[in-house]
Amino acid sequence: MARPGYDRAAQRIGIVHIGLGAFHRAHQAVYTDDAMAAGDRDWAIAAASLRSAGVHDQMASQDGLYTVTERSSDGEAVRLIGAIQETTVAAQAPARLAALLAAPDTRVVTLTVTEKGYWRRPDGATDLAGIVADGNSIYHYLAQAVVARRTSGRDPLTLVSCDNLPDNGRVLRAALAAFLGHQGQTADRDWFEREWRCPNTMVDRIVPAVTDADRDRVGAALGLRDEAAVITEPYRQWVIEDDFAGDRPRWEAGGAQFVADVAPYETAKLRMLNGAHSALAYLGLERGHIFVHQAVADPQIRPVVERLMRAEAATSFTAAEGQALEPYADALLARFANTTLEHRLSQIASDGSQKVGPRWLSSLAAHGGDAPATLTALAAWLRFIRTGNDASPDPRRAELAGLWADGDAASVVDALFGAQGSMAGLWRPTEAQRAALIREIEQ
């Protein structure tokens, strides 16, 4: 087992992370572990869950240590990660999170709160009313940090969103500025907009939900029980806009790329990888599959996914210089076919109303032409929300199920994508696309 290549106890906390889940532990924490192993000091992480105490309880009993197991057809590689020095639960200890965000050693905040954590309305605008009503959103803690750091004369922070949203840094920046304005904190909002940075990023690593069987297997190999174990694939990618308010970790030691424009990489990942993942989820569940590798091997599904990636998503945007999309699609299909990763389709299918916009609707809107595979996937999602699948929750579940209760396929399509539809701001189908989508739903 590979161990941290640095004196863990000697590192001061330099990063606060919000959204303590498996993806962060398999991705940003690993890159930070690499940076400190390369001699970049004082970037230890204090990680906070917003509400759930589950991961905090697992990690606190292990002094923040946990293992990452990479699985592939070549076998397994296990690594002990020491980057996370402290964990907390924001809802239970808000003062501690506030103190961490205001601390002089803190220079970077990273976030993995999923798409719904950004409080966006179906048309993509900030749901300011929802943020205010929630009372425990990322914006409450970050706004408090802006105020505390300005009044104490401390340096501004860089906020690094690591969620699958187009322009994720810009989304975060606009919503936090709006929330500060709503609170009447004009001077704080002006300082935030002038001095703080919110770079766009693209993150990629497949991280299935860990099962008790996974923990048993890791424990048998190690001779120790790891309640916070993470299972993932060997592949990882992190592309970050090079725009920081101050110091940053040397994440490039772990292979991160710092670029002037993240957009082409972000778009390729959202529309090709995430778009294909969602297609596999809804089409695969419909055909009785449980895991991604089963769905991608299905001869009825694979051609749809290949067309969605290669002929539709890949042609809906302009690639960056040197960004080869055909080999990228080949690599994605190989990763999906990894039978050693039990990546559940139900995990990918959750929160679909938050995902279909950036993954499919943006591609449909930009493509402008024939995109039958994406329409097939979209129809599968619309059939899926009709069933109200308990294993895959969605913040708009009741509303979407209500559309089916009151009408047929045509009325549901119009309620979502028609002139007054709740998702019309993301995509307005042509008459031919509308008819094709209805036909697909009714098959």
Side-chain angles (χ1 to χ4, degrees):
M1 180 175 66
R3 304 185 182 209
Y6 53 90
D7 183 354
R8 185 170 180 254
Q11 308 301 317
R12 292 197 298 269
I13 291 171
I15 300 171
V16 175
H17 180 79
I18 302 176
L20 178 55
F23 184 81
H24 167 67
R25 287 177 283 140
H27 194 271
Q28 300 93 43
V30 175
Y31 281 96
T32 304
D33 208 64
D34 288 334
M36 290 193 288
D40 200 11
R41 294 181 56 83
D42 299 331
W43 288 109
I45 300 168
S49 298
L50 282 174
R51 292 178 175 84
S52 174
V55 179
H56 160 71
D57 293 346
Q58 292 169 349
M59 296 191 66
S61 64
Q62 300 178 178
D63 296 325
L65 293 167
Y66 65 97
T67 58
V68 171
T69 300
E70 296 179 357
R71 287 181 182 169
S72 71
S73 58
D74 296 326
E76 293 187 352
V78 184
R79 174 175 172 180
L80 184 69
I81 302 298
I84 300 178
Q85 199 171 93
E86 178 181 339
T87 63
T88 189
V89 182
Q92 296 178 3
R96 180 54 186 160
L97 179 54
L100 289 165
L101 290 169
D105 286 338
T106 299
R107 288 153 284 170
V108 171
V109 177
T110 55
L111 302 101
T112 51
V113 294
T114 75
E115 294 91 338
K116 64 185 176 185
Y118 291 84
W119 285 98
R120 303 179 80 203
R121 296 201 303 260
D123 63 0
T126 299
D127 182 4
L128 192 56
I131 294 170
V132 173
D134 176 76
N136 191 57
S137 74
I138 55 173
Y139 303 110
H140 288 81
Y141 296 105
L142 295 176
Q144 188 177 10
V146 173
V147 175
R149 296 187 78 90
R150 188 181 77 84
T151 55
S152 63
R154 290 178 181 164
D155 291 338
L157 300 178
T158 300
L159 310 179
V160 185
S161 168
C162 303
D163 286 296
N164 288 318
L165 288 173
D167 258 2
N168 51 14
R170 304 292 183 270
V171 169
L172 175 62
R173 183 180 185 85
L176 181 52
F179 184 62
L180 286 164
H182 171 79
Q183 292 184 316
Q185 296 161 319
T186 304
D188 299 306
R189 182 194 62 198
D190 292 346
W191 182 62
F192 164 72
E193 292 188 312
R194 186 174 64 251
E195 301 293 341
W196 290 46
R197 295 292 181 269
C198 302
N200 287 332
T201 74
M202 185 277 279
V203 297
D204 187 6
R205 195 170 209 186
I206 295 173
V207 186
V210 177
T211 65
D212 287 336
D214 290 323
R215 295 187 186 93
D216 291 342
R217 181 171 169 178
V218 170
L222 297 180
L224 296 167
R225 182 73 175 179
D226 180 5
E227 293 295 345
V230 176
I231 310 298
T232 187
E233 62 176 336
Y235 181 92
R236 56 178 158 129
Q237 186 180 18
W238 197 3
V239 184
I240 309 166
E241 183 182 6
D242 198 0
D243 183 24
F244 284 72
D247 293 343
R248 65 164 178 81
R250 285 175 51 201
W251 284 321
E252 60 267 38
Q257 300 168 259
F258 290 87
V259 301
D261 184 12
V262 173
Y265 303 93
E266 172 188 80
T267 304
K269 197 256 180 168
L270 282 167
R271 298 183 186 176
M272 295 178 70
L273 188 156
N274 297 130
H277 251 169
S278 288
L280 287 166
Y282 299 117
L283 292 167
L285 288 169
E286 198 167 52
R287 287 178 59 80
H289 300 304
I290 299 172
F291 302 115
V292 169
H293 64 81
Q294 295 171 334
V296 79
D298 188 323
Q300 298 298 313
I301 296 176
R302 187 181 177 104
V304 176
V305 171
E306 286 216 50
R307 180 180 171 87
L308 184 150
M309 283 198 297
R310 298 184 194 276
E312 297 174 15
T315 60
S316 69
F317 67 99
T318 301
E321 184 177 352
Q323 186 182 14
L325 298 182
E326 276 297 314
Y328 181 59
D330 293 338
L332 291 178
L333 289 166
R335 291 167 64 194
F336 296 160
N338 183 351
T339 58
T340 66
L341 279 186
E342 294 188 339
H343 197 183
R344 290 181 175 271
L345 299 172
S346 59
Q347 179 185 356
I348 300 167
S350 65
D351 300 332
S353 66
Q354 311 298 297
K355 296 174 178 177
V356 298
R359 297 183 183 197
W360 296 337
L361 304 184
S362 60
S363 180
L364 286 168
H367 195 275
D370 188 29
T374 307
L375 291 180
T376 295
L378 184 58
W381 173 64
L382 292 171
R383 290 192 298 268
F384 178 84
I385 63 176
R386 179 172 53 188
T387 66
N389 192 301
D390 291 333
S392 302
D394 191 293
R396 298 180 61 193
R397 176 176 173 175
E399 170 199 345
L400 294 171
L403 296 179
W404 277 112
D406 296 335
D408 56 9
S411 65
V412 170
V413 168
D414 291 340
L416 291 173
F417 309 116
Q420 304 300 318
S422 62
M423 291 185 168
L426 302 174
W427 174 62
R428 287 285 306 279
T430 64
E431 282 301 317
Q433 289 172 327
R434 176 184 177 275
L437 180 56
I438 293 169
R439 285 196 303 272
E440 285 284 350
I441 294 169
E442 293 175 340
Q443 283 186 359

